[in-house]
Amino acid sequence: MSFSTAGVHHVTAITSDQQRNLDFYAGILGLRLVKRTVNFDDPTTYHFYFGDESGNPGSLITFFAWPGARRGRPGAGQVGVTSFSIPPRSLGYWIERLIRYHVQYEQPRTRFDDERVIAFKDPDGLLLELVAHASAEPRPQWAGGQVEAEHSIRGIHAVTLWEDGHELTSRLLTEALGFRLTREQGSIYRFVAQAAGPASIVDLRVVPGLWSGVMGAGAVHHVAFRARDDAEQIAVRGALATLGSNITPQLDRQYFRSVYFREPGGVLFEIATDGPGFTVDEPLETLGRALKLPPWLEDRRFEIEALLPDVRLPLKIPGPAG
Ligand code: ZN
């Protein structure tokens, strides 16, 4: 049985300022901070997870907070753009909101006939989009955040890979991860996961001659795709090895289990299990409020808390109508 991912599990990027990052994603964009933890490879820095109410796979954008990190450079071999879903009727609401909070954005444009796209950047320069499309409507709303529930972001819509060419990456997406090539428009190849549900789109944009991306603040570190469970993850790991990828052993990320490899175009890919999820170490009601550490770091909590900078969740800020 060949593997077919349900789509994007999460996107992880780098911020140079943890408080500004919290204010932007939990405040202006109104996502839920579903986990406040540390970078397991460098426990003196934060790792924030933002998502929908329960942090479902496909709703998640996460950040390594490296204070004062040098700015990265968007370019080839990176996830160039991360796109979030909004319902079509929320387009005006979001334009007003971006204006209100002085977020520069580009006038909405149409893509592939059925998407209206607003492009903007986060405070570190990370390229983002809000994409209004009809299938966003039924996805879970988050009523406890800074954005009215009906207009709340409905998780990730797509990621756009920027690559020198497309052949090898296309083959990996279709043969190892189970995506289908559904559309081509200009330099964009659109791949959709078989399930065609939320967060199921990968756009591969061919940018020959574009400079290479440089990792740093405002750049995506990696994109993770969903595996249902360990068995699926083992199966896809085998398929990737057969296609010639070096791939890590399984790593325990506490909220999911992960393997990593670099796809042929240079982007770091991860395959992450759907479970166990974010309620494994705190209740749904209080997700994100307290610093959570994995069991193997718990006995260093005193030292870790002393080294981490203080942060606070943004206070309720009035919406554009308020
Ligand atoms: Zn990850």
Side-chain angles (χ1 to χ4, degrees), residues 10-12 47 49 62 64 222-224 253 256 258 260 270 272:
H10 64 269
V11 170
T12 293
H47 189 178
Y49 290 78
T62 97
F64 297 141
H222 63 268
V223 55
R253 295 314 192 191
F256 42 84
S258 303
Y260 301 84
E270 171 183 350

Side-chain angles (χ1 to χ4, degrees), residues 11-14 20-21 23-26 28-31 50 59-63 74 79-86 94 98 103-109 111 116-132 153 155-160 162 218-220:
V11 170
T12 293
I14 296 164
R20 201 176 56 183
N21 182 258
D23 289 344
F24 187 81
Y25 286 90
I28 295 172
L29 296 190
L31 299 175
F50 300 94
S59 74
L60 300 163
I61 185 163
T62 97
F63 287 89
V79 173
V81 186
T82 302
S83 307
F84 296 102
S85 290
I86 56 168
W94 276 102
L98 295 176
V103 179
Q104 288 190 8
Y105 67 96
E106 290 174 14
Q107 286 304 320
R109 60 196 161 79
R111 184 164 58 205
R116 294 281 288 160
V117 180
I118 309 171
F120 62 107
K121 293 178 187 174
D122 88 353
D124 284 295
L126 186 71
L127 298 175
L128 301 171
E129 289 176 346
L130 292 170
V131 180
I153 284 176
I156 286 176
H157 177 58
V159 291
T160 301
W162 289 355
V220 170

Side-chain angles (χ1 to χ4, degrees), residues 18-20 22 33 36 46 48 308-313:
Q18 53 275 334
Q19 186 60 58
R20 201 176 56 183
L22 272 177
L33 179 69
R36 183 190 303 226
Y46 282 111
F48 296 143
L308 285 170
D310 283 336
V311 287
R312 45 152 191 83
L313 272 172

